Amino acid sequence: MRADEAYEELIQRVREEATLASIEALLEWDEETHMPAGAVEGRSEQLAMVAGLLHERGTDPRIGELLDELEGSSLLEDPDSPAAVNVRELRRDYDRYVRLPRKLVQDLARTTAVAQRAWSEARKEADFIRFRPYLERIVELKRAEARCVGYDREPYDALIGDYEPGITSAIVGRLFEALRRELVPLAARIAGAGSGPAVEMLRRAVPLDAQRGFGEKVAGEVGFDFRRGRTDLGVHPCCTSLGPGDCRIGLRFDRRDFVGGILTILHEVGHGLYEQGLDPEFYGTPMGEAASVGMDESQARLWENRVGRSRGFWAHFLPKAGERFPDAFGDADLDEFHFALNRVTPSLIRVHADEVTYNVHVMIRFELERALISGDLLAAELPGAWNDAYGRYLGVTPENDAEGCLQDGHWAEGLVGYFPTYTLGDVFAAQLFARAQRELGDLEESFARGEFRELVRWLGERIYRQGGRHPSARLIEVVTGGPPDHRPLVEALRVR
Amino acid sequence: MRADEAYEELIQRVREEATLASIEALLEWDEETHMPAGAVEGRSEQLAMVAGLLHERGTDPRIGELLDELEGSSLLEDPDSPAAVNVRELRRDYDRYVRLPRKLVQDLARTTAVAQRAWSEARKEADFIRFRPYLERIVELKRAEARCVGYDREPYDALIGDYEPGITSAIVGRLFEALRRELVPLAARIAGAGSGPAVEMLRRAVPLDAQRGFGEKVAGEVGFDFRRGRTDLGVHPCCTSLGPGDCRIGLRFDRRDFVGGILTILHEVGHGLYEQGLDPEFYGTPMGEAASVGMDESQARLWENRVGRSRGFWAHFLPKAGERFPDAFGDADLDEFHFALNRVTPSLIRVHADEVTYNVHVMIRFELERALISGDLLAAELPGAWNDAYGRYLGVTPENDAEGCLQDGHWAEGLVGYFPTYTLGDVFAAQLFARAQRELGDLEESFARGEFRELVRWLGERIYRQGGRHPSARLIEVVTGGPPDHRPLVEALRVR
């Protein structure tokens, strides 16, 4: 068989898998946004079926044969060529996938579908006991997954490696250690400053529908393409690709947190711009996908924090908010507003955290999920361990589990080892934004004019259209000239 | 192999097919309600993939072997037992399915996904030319389908038989002939009577959101279970089952047609009550499905017309509408209102037609689609033939194709041979309602007290929980004591 024929067959197969995966994404998105409560059992069967079909195709020995055929062929001479990149990444996916038994994959799909509903109800009632059996089962399945995949030092490495290839607990641990040394004293020094009228202003009531309307306008202005996407209300914010030309954003609003809603939209739009900016020619192959989950999160965190918390952004949007919501923001002063939205104060809820303490929230989750997977912590002990960690690192204690260990839905979704990608994303985002500033000049000034296209274009060329060409660390090096480095993040926080 | 083992394997297989079909239903429902325009190509690939998977499973020779094994076994001795019913119906499905090549099934899925979007745009622009190539392609594919399935007298029979087994063009033609003889003179005699203030009242503006809220209240009061279902706005009204516990209703409202919106909800809720009332024990098998499409439509038409146009129904809901919308209905007189909503007047749009002329609209579609499939009519000639027929039978002429041959989306969905099931449904509904009245006493009086449970319970026992036990004509006989008969429908219309 000729290499080009083998490559063509391989690509056709993975494209079909991508179509199947996009169907799975619709099932999940619908569960988040529209599905009635009574449908949860049926949905878990649907998801288990698609997981089984994906496994059947993704582990087909024919894929292994095609990869064998291609590896070492002259087609892959240039390691940065699309063919070489796709074969490199598909080999990694395949080698991982064939280690997972179909039953495990289907059990995970079935369990997480039901667990998400249970989590959502447990959270509403602030009742961890309701969620505990599901968490126990998920931890058990994820430990089994880690055993099947294999690891050098600890099982958690096998899970985190699925989201960020090449990353280990040890690397993440060192990153958090370095950040903690910088951020905890920084937080202590500036915490609580700037309370007062402007902070109260951020809590003024804005009707939910109007928030959504305003948020969609913001999304459109920064470049989200609504012809190829939409927004919906969901249990928790998310951004899902349902196939080419179909990027769905799930949103959540709070009457008394207008700014939080806008930052959430920017976060999800950051994912969405990446998704919509991928090269459609490579759809369904690694060259047409995000470089890694961490890189994907970097785009979300870049728009949320580097753009959404900037003075320039609000120089443009605050007057519009004042016009649209005169009672809440008619009298808003830009400097006070900007100061208030960057106020640092230790808090209980990750998604509402300021930028400085945010990564402490992530670190706590990293430590706890690592312990759950190693077996050092039992699911039953989670609420206590959670509250201890919040007391120790942030000096705050949840009053109940809804504002404690039930606040995030990741574990219910089976996302264990995912949290560290937020911090990696923050680190990457700060590096990329600093580089963009250097190349494009004063971005805040553009934002103040309502001009976001230059930044989107820059990210499009440097990041989006590169797809999976480079592993994330290498991509950072190609774009910024240096390896991943937490210092630009610390620097950005210090300046602000 | 023992018969009970064969049966178990057969049922497991068809249950998996049902899960796959419910995924297909989600893809279609999402296309109707939420999908962004840019996603249409991707969606057509997703639908083609699922159609292919369904075909692969549904035509698996193993199913034929299992059916062979079971037929003649003692397990099926009682022809009304669940096993006998399931084998009888699965044999029919299988024999039909294996005649269809996979490519044809996938082409149909792909084409109709794109055609629906094209139809919706063509309708918006009242521009048949935009839809014509899609219609041509669909007619071509449906003719191919008819050839593959086979037929005795004409190809259309092969299509109509998919929705209503045992029915032929000749039978439908005779039914329409009989109805036309009765209804056209009846319509002529009473048409136009009762114009005046009450008719104007039906055109009073009611905000769309409030209509939807009121409509959902009506749906809940008559018995639709929102824990196992939901409503959404869609391109056109529909009711789709996405699996057990997940019944979705698509709605459309018009500011100046409050009553039309309520009748639409009742129509779709009629489907929904049937769906929600099926025996969950038999989910995924013919015993857990509607007896036929015509029987399914009978439930929709029963709630829309026998209930929704009744004086009793509005005796209960008109005062509520008056309270909720005092400007529109605060001064409404029940008798005038009831008279107005049953006014007969020839019109252009099927879904807005009065009950007497409604089946003339259906008959026109039956004649035209029959001619399209036989080849006597070309797609290009459709607008002219449509307008001629409306002039001839109803004395009205569309001003453009949006109110002419583009008004319904059925053909774009590939539903050719479907329209006659509306009329069969009307006939069945009148028979069933007359029988229910005889057994339960004055139903209108119950409706006036806001009491619908008795009727739902009666239908639940007689129809819903019977599933596919009897073919539709036989089910009518079992429940009403007589064969299908158009006279109760004519009688009901005469009385009203």
Side-chain angles (χ1 to χ4, degrees):
Chain A
M1 186 176 215
R2 279 168 28 202
D4 57 346
E5 286 167 358
Y7 185 67
E8 200 179 313
E9 184 182 336
L10 179 68
I11 293 306
Q12 201 199 316
R13 281 172 173 267
V14 299
R15 285 229 159 100
E16 278 186 25
E17 280 178 61
T19 299
L20 205 45
S22 72
I23 293 171
E24 183 180 49
L26 174 62
L27 289 163
E28 289 170 344
W29 171 83
D30 180 74
E31 177 168 10
E32 286 280 321
T33 51
H34 292 100
M35 191 186 79
V40 65
E41 293 292 337
R43 181 56 44 93
S44 76
E45 284 310 310
Q46 293 165 331
L47 282 165
M49 165 168 275
V50 176
L53 288 167
L54 274 169
H55 187 272
E56 186 182 319
R57 284 158 186 249
T59 61
D60 189 326
R62 180 71 185 149
I63 294 185
E65 288 167 25
L66 292 167
L67 290 169
D68 289 345
E69 189 79 32
L70 283 159
E71 282 158 348
S73 83
S74 62
L75 194 67
L76 313 188
E77 253 168 24
D78 171 3
D80 287 346
S81 71
V85 168
N86 281 336
V87 168
R88 178 192 78 211
E89 295 295 311
L90 292 169
R91 163 60 75 188
R92 200 169 38 75
D93 293 346
Y94 178 74
D95 285 352
R96 181 186 174 90
Y97 217 0
V98 291
R99 291 184 191 160
L100 300 177
R102 184 156 320 155
K103 184 170 177 327
L104 174 62
V105 170
Q106 291 194 293
D107 281 352
L108 260 168
R110 206 176 271 120
T111 304
T112 53
V114 181
Q116 284 173 72
R117 192 59 61 147
W119 162 74
S120 155
E121 278 160 20
R123 180 168 176 258
K124 213 180 298 162
E125 307 289 326
D127 182 6
F128 176 75
I129 298 299
R130 285 195 190 198
F131 179 54
R132 187 179 124 182
Y134 298 94
L135 181 60
E136 280 168 350
R137 179 81 181 123
I138 287 168
V139 168
E140 191 184 311
L141 291 168
K142 296 302 281 190
R143 283 164 58 96
E145 181 181 326
R147 274 196 304 277
C148 293
V149 171
Y151 49 86
D152 281 341
R153 303 193 46 179
E154 59 173 286
Y156 185 77
D157 290 348
L159 303 179
I160 196 176
D162 191 25
Y163 304 115
E164 200 68 21
I167 287 283
T168 63
S169 311
I171 298 175
V172 173
R174 280 197 298 277
L175 171 63
F176 277 122
E177 189 47 40
L179 280 174
R180 193 159 62 90
R181 265 201 310 274
E182 305 266 13
L183 298 183
V184 171
L186 178 64
R189 208 164 61 239
I190 57 182
S195 61
V199 173
E200 293 319 304
M201 187 168 59
L202 299 187
R203 297 280 159 265
R204 290 189 190 155
V206 178
L208 298 177
D209 278 359
Q211 284 193 41
R212 184 169 172 190
F214 193 87
E216 290 194 339
K217 230 176 104 18
V218 171
E221 273 200 53
V222 305
F224 185 76
D225 178 358
F226 279 95
R227 223 191 67 84
R228 297 186 295 139
R230 57 176 283 125
T231 72
D232 283 274
L233 298 181
V235 183
H236 52 77
C238 61
C239 175
T240 310
S241 167
L242 303 187
D246 197 352
C247 177
R248 311 263 175 124
I249 287 181
L251 297 172
R252 194 168 59 182
F253 295 98
D254 176 341
R255 271 184 78 239
R256 298 207 165 266
D257 189 13
F258 169 76
V259 169
I262 297 298
L263 293 177
T264 298
I265 288 177
L266 285 169
H267 180 104
E268 303 306 339
V269 162
H271 287 303
L273 290 171
Y274 198 171
E275 197 58 55
Q276 294 187 331
L278 293 166
D279 191 338
E281 192 195 330
F282 297 120
Y283 172 74
T285 75
M287 269 299 292
E289 284 161 12
S292 74
V293 172
M295 191 56 68
D296 207 350
E297 287 303 334
S298 82
Q299 297 309 299
R301 300 287 292 169
L302 187 150
W303 285 92
E304 176 185 356
N305 291 323
R306 301 274 67 74
V307 180
R309 291 187 197 266
S310 74
R311 195 179 180 285
F313 178 86
W314 288 102
H316 178 65
F317 281 110
L318 187 58
K320 289 173 190 277
E323 258 172 55
R324 183 76 185 74
F325 313 113
D327 291 349
F329 304 116
D331 61 348
D333 172 79
L334 176 60
D335 285 317
E336 278 180 26
F337 185 90
H338 178 237
F339 189 75
L341 79 88
N342 284 290
R343 197 173 73 113
V344 172
T345 178
S347 63
L348 290 167
I349 308 292
R350 177 182 62 86
V351 295
H352 296 156
D354 61 81
E355 222 190 333
V356 175
T357 58
Y358 181 86
N359 288 300
V360 181
H361 291 260
V362 175
M363 184 181 66
I364 291 171
R365 286 153 180 76
F366 161 66
E367 289 184 357
L368 293 172
E369 65 182 11
R370 190 181 181 185
L372 283 168
I373 294 300
S374 73
D376 290 344
L377 182 70
L378 297 176
E381 299 164 339
L382 178 67
W386 182 285
N387 295 355
D388 281 356
Y390 266 79
R392 197 162 62 249
Y393 290 122
L394 288 168
V396 295
T397 306
E399 286 199 9
N400 58 54
D401 294 332
E403 53 181 48
C405 66
L406 288 174
Q407 68 183 264
D408 289 316
H410 298 62
W411 294 334
E413 286 184 63
L415 298 175
V416 180
Y418 189 103
F419 280 115
T421 64
Y422 289 123
T423 298
L424 289 173
D426 255 2
V427 167
F428 296 161
Q431 289 184 272
L432 292 172
F433 194 76
R435 182 73 201 183
Q437 291 258 43
R438 203 165 325 145
E439 292 187 21
L440 299 175
D442 189 349
L443 283 168
E444 291 230 16
E445 206 176 88
S446 320
F447 299 164
R449 291 194 312 273
E451 180 51 75
F452 302 93
R453 266 179 306 183
E454 271 298 282
L455 178 58
V456 175
R457 194 189 50 72
W458 189 88
L459 290 167
E461 276 174 21
R462 303 293 195 284
I463 306 290
Y464 308 162
R465 291 185 80 86
Q466 299 305 313
R469 189 185 301 272
H470 306 295
S472 56
R474 169 93 186 111
L475 180 57
I476 288 295
E477 211 164 325
V478 168
V479 176
T480 70
D485 181 354
H486 68 282
R487 284 168 304 180
L489 174 61
V490 174
E491 183 54 28
L493 295 176
R494 240 186 255 288
V495 170
R496 188 164 280 166
Chain B
M1 186 176 216
R2 280 168 29 203
D4 57 346
E5 286 168 357
Y7 185 67
E8 200 179 312
E9 184 182 337
L10 180 68
I11 293 305
Q12 201 200 316
R13 282 172 172 268
V14 299
R15 285 229 159 100
E16 279 186 23
E17 280 178 61
T19 299
L20 205 45
S22 72
I23 293 171
E24 182 180 48
L26 174 62
L27 289 163
E28 289 170 345
W29 171 84
D30 180 74
E31 179 168 9
E32 285 280 321
T33 51
H34 292 101
M35 191 186 80
V40 66
E41 293 292 337
R43 182 55 45 93
S44 77
E45 283 310 310
Q46 293 165 330
L47 282 164
M49 165 169 276
V50 177
L53 288 168
L54 274 170
H55 187 272
E56 186 182 318
R57 284 156 187 251
T59 60
D60 189 325
R62 180 70 185 149
I63 293 184
E65 287 167 25
L66 293 167
L67 289 169
D68 289 345
E69 189 79 32
L70 283 159
E71 281 158 350
S73 83
S74 63
L75 193 68
L76 313 188
E77 254 167 23
D78 171 5
D80 287 347
S81 71
V85 168
N86 282 335
V87 169
R88 179 192 77 211
E89 295 294 311
L90 291 170
R91 164 60 75 189
R92 200 169 37 75
D93 294 346
Y94 178 74
D95 285 352
R96 181 186 174 89
Y97 218 0
V98 292
R99 291 183 192 159
L100 301 176
R102 184 156 320 156
K103 185 171 176 327
L104 174 62
V105 170
Q106 292 194 293
D107 280 353
L108 260 168
R110 205 176 271 119
T111 304
T112 53
V114 182
Q116 284 172 72
R117 192 60 62 147
W119 163 74
S120 156
E121 278 160 21
R123 180 169 176 258
K124 213 180 298 162
E125 307 289 326
D127 182 6
F128 177 75
I129 298 300
R130 284 196 191 197
F131 179 55
R132 187 179 125 181
Y134 298 94
L135 181 61
E136 280 168 350
R137 178 81 181 124
I138 286 169
V139 168
E140 191 184 311
L141 291 168
K142 296 303 280 190
R143 283 163 58 95
E145 181 182 325
R147 275 195 305 277
C148 293
V149 171
Y151 49 85
D152 281 340
R153 302 192 47 179
E154 58 173 286
Y156 185 78
D157 290 348
L159 303 180
I160 195 175
D162 191 25
Y163 305 115
E164 201 67 21
I167 288 283
T168 62
S169 311
I171 297 175
V172 174
R174 280 197 298 276
L175 171 63
F176 278 121
E177 190 46 40
L179 280 174
R180 194 158 62 89
R181 266 202 309 272
E182 305 266 13
L183 297 183
V184 171
L186 179 64
R189 208 164 62 240
I190 57 183
S195 61
V199 173
E200 293 317 306
M201 187 168 57
L202 299 188
R203 297 281 159 263
R204 290 189 190 154
V206 178
L208 297 178
D209 278 358
Q211 284 194 42
R212 185 169 172 190
F214 193 87
E216 290 195 339
K217 230 177 105 16
V218 171
E221 272 200 54
V222 305
F224 185 76
D225 178 358
F226 280 94
R227 223 191 67 84
R228 297 187 294 140
R230 57 176 283 125
T231 72
D232 284 273
L233 298 180
V235 183
H236 52 78
C238 61
C239 175
T240 310
S241 167
L242 304 188
D246 197 352
C247 177
R248 312 261 175 126
I249 287 181
L251 297 171
R252 194 169 58 182
F253 295 98
D254 176 341
R255 269 184 80 238
R256 298 207 166 267
D257 189 13
F258 169 76
V259 169
I262 297 298
L263 293 176
T264 298
I265 289 177
L266 285 169
H267 181 104
E268 302 306 339
V269 162
H271 287 303
L273 290 170
Y274 198 171
E275 197 58 55
Q276 294 187 331
L278 293 166
D279 191 338
E281 192 195 331
F282 297 121
Y283 172 73
T285 74
M287 269 299 292
E289 284 161 11
S292 74
V293 172
M295 191 55 68
D296 207 350
E297 288 302 336
S298 82
Q299 297 309 300
R301 300 287 292 169
L302 186 150
W303 285 92
E304 176 185 357
N305 290 322
R306 301 275 67 75
V307 180
R309 291 187 196 265
S310 74
R311 194 178 180 286
F313 178 87
W314 288 102
H316 178 64
F317 281 111
L318 187 58
K320 289 172 189 277
E323 258 172 55
R324 182 76 186 75
F325 313 113
D327 291 349
F329 305 116
D331 61 349
D333 173 80
L334 177 60
D335 285 318
E336 278 180 25
F337 185 91
H338 178 237
F339 189 75
L341 80 88
N342 284 290
R343 197 173 73 113
V344 172
T345 179
S347 63
L348 290 167
I349 308 292
R350 176 182 62 87
V351 295
H352 296 156
D354 62 81
E355 222 190 334
V356 176
T357 58
Y358 180 86
N359 288 301
V360 181
H361 291 259
V362 175
M363 184 181 66
I364 291 170
R365 285 152 181 76
F366 161 66
E367 289 183 358
L368 293 172
E369 64 183 12
R370 190 181 181 184
L372 283 168
I373 294 300
S374 73
D376 290 344
L377 182 70
L378 297 176
E381 299 165 338
L382 179 66
W386 182 284
N387 296 354
D388 281 356
Y390 266 79
R392 195 162 64 247
Y393 290 122
L394 288 167
V396 294
T397 306
E399 286 199 8
N400 58 54
D401 294 332
E403 54 181 48
C405 66
L406 288 174
Q407 67 182 264
D408 290 315
H410 298 62
W411 294 335
E413 286 184 63
L415 298 175
V416 180
Y418 189 103
F419 280 115
T421 65
Y422 290 123
T423 297
L424 289 173
D426 255 2
V427 168
F428 296 161
Q431 289 184 271
L432 292 172
F433 194 76
R435 182 73 201 182
Q437 291 258 42
R438 202 165 326 145
E439 292 187 22
L440 299 175
D442 190 349
L443 283 169
E444 291 230 15
E445 206 176 88
S446 320
F447 299 164
R449 291 194 312 273
E451 180 52 74
F452 302 93
R453 265 178 306 183
E454 271 298 281
L455 177 58
V456 175
R457 195 190 50 72
W458 189 88
L459 290 168
E461 276 174 21
R462 304 292 195 284
I463 306 290
Y464 308 162
R465 292 185 78 86
Q466 299 304 314
R469 189 185 301 271
H470 306 294
S472 55
R474 169 92 186 113
L475 180 58
I476 288 295
E477 211 164 326
V478 168
V479 176
T480 69
D485 181 354
H486 69 282
R487 284 168 304 179
L489 173 61
V490 174
E491 183 54 28
L493 295 176
R494 240 186 255 288
V495 170
R496 189 164 279 168

